[in-house]
Amino acid sequence: MESSSSKMNSAPKSIEKEEYMFDLEPDNKFKQILPTIPIKKGSWSLDFYQYEGFWYPFSHLPGMLFAQEHFKPQPNQVILSSFPKCGTTWLKALAFAIMTRSYESEPTNPLLSRLSHDCVPFIEFNIRSSQQRLSLDVPLVSTHIPYTSLPKSIINSSSKIVYLCRDPKDVFVSIWEFYNRNITRLFESELGSKLGSELEITREKDVLEEDVLESFCQGLLSCGPFWDHILGYWRASLESPERILFIKYEDLTNETVYWVKKLAQFIGYPFSLEEEDQGMVQKIIDLCSFENMSNLEVNKNGAVTLEVGIKKDEVYKYELKNNLYFRKGKVGDWKNHLTPAMAIRIDQITEKKLSSYGLTWNV
Ligand code: PAP
């Protein structure tokens, strides 16, 4: 299958593929800290590594450490941040479409031929192999890194941050569905068997939703605990509302026009009255809608080619299908998946950890 990375002629200078490098060279900070950090089995029996209070799969840590040390935001660069499965793909599309609206006509818009992850790179996944890839025409990058672990260069800069969060019950269901569809393919691939033999990463069969929920509640998944991730950005946004815009997926769904205008204003690309009269806001909303995005050829049949290096000279390719990022795009889909007891369990943690900070969900 053709990967999305080979169809990128009209796109701004950006990434060509995502790269994850398990770089085990001795001078690497990762190698130094690895023996000192806690490891626990989490979702899908994968090992998770705790760093600065958050858990990561082995594959995320080197890139994150590299970003912490080397990433420097460009002037006016906006950071789009989120916990995984909170709607990153949507936020990236909206911000990219807002920023490029004056020079990207419909037929040439990169969002029509590339997954939005290929338009807005992650600082922790792409920066490692080539700094050049971050010299974008569009001043946008993204991250799943928790607020307290962000590179100091971001914290100490005037870069604006947009944080998207979501009802944890829907996040859990989205994660469950994503990994169930993806992880079987991964473990059946050449990379999967290599991970198994070299790193002793194995996958138990018949993983139960209840067990994965347990891991979710304990925070044992990528960038978890979910609640601490949200809280870090929420508190920072209360302290510096001019620098951090905090959006809920549910609000973006229910009041899309209001939030898209607010987003545009916040990132420095406000809509003029003339643009509003011409229907530009709605045009961008329609372009980035779940219905439109999920039906594009690139998002139905394309794939991101990941290059995962087990060792320095041993790199495996793995195709992550773009359609994995588009499932239902609905608020409250958890009602079709979770038992009342599972929903109550998540709600109780949300209540305990977030409600005293004024963060609640009524879906
Ligand atoms: P990521 O963190 O791996 O990048 P992310 O994009 O944050 O994933 O989350 C995927 C979710 O966003 C999916 O939710 P679901 O499983 O509940 O359906 C996906 O369907 C949803 N999504 C993707 N694109 C859009 C969109 N254009 N509008 C609304 N929701 C979207």
Side-chain angles (χ1 to χ4, degrees), residues 39-58:
I39 306 172
K40 270 194 184 175
K41 277 249 177 283
S43 319
W44 286 274
S45 306
L46 298 175
D47 282 337
F48 285 85
Y49 296 71
Q50 194 183 42
Y51 180 67
E52 297 182 342
F54 290 85
W55 295 96
Y56 304 90
F58 188 60

Side-chain angles (χ1 to χ4, degrees), residues 239-281:
E239 275 165 30
S240 313
E242 70 298 339
R243 211 167 70 77
I244 303 176
L245 178 65
F246 192 94
I247 308 178
K248 285 181 176 169
Y249 181 94
E250 295 74 20
D251 293 341
L252 192 55
T253 302
N254 295 329
E255 302 160 272
T256 314
V257 172
Y258 171 84
W259 282 101
V260 166
K261 280 162 66 171
K262 187 154 177 123
L263 173 64
Q265 175 86 38
F266 184 80
I267 63 180
Y269 291 72
F271 292 101
S272 64
L273 283 178
E274 198 188 348
E275 282 180 314
E276 287 198 29
D277 288 346
Q278 288 167 354
M280 181 57 91
V281 181

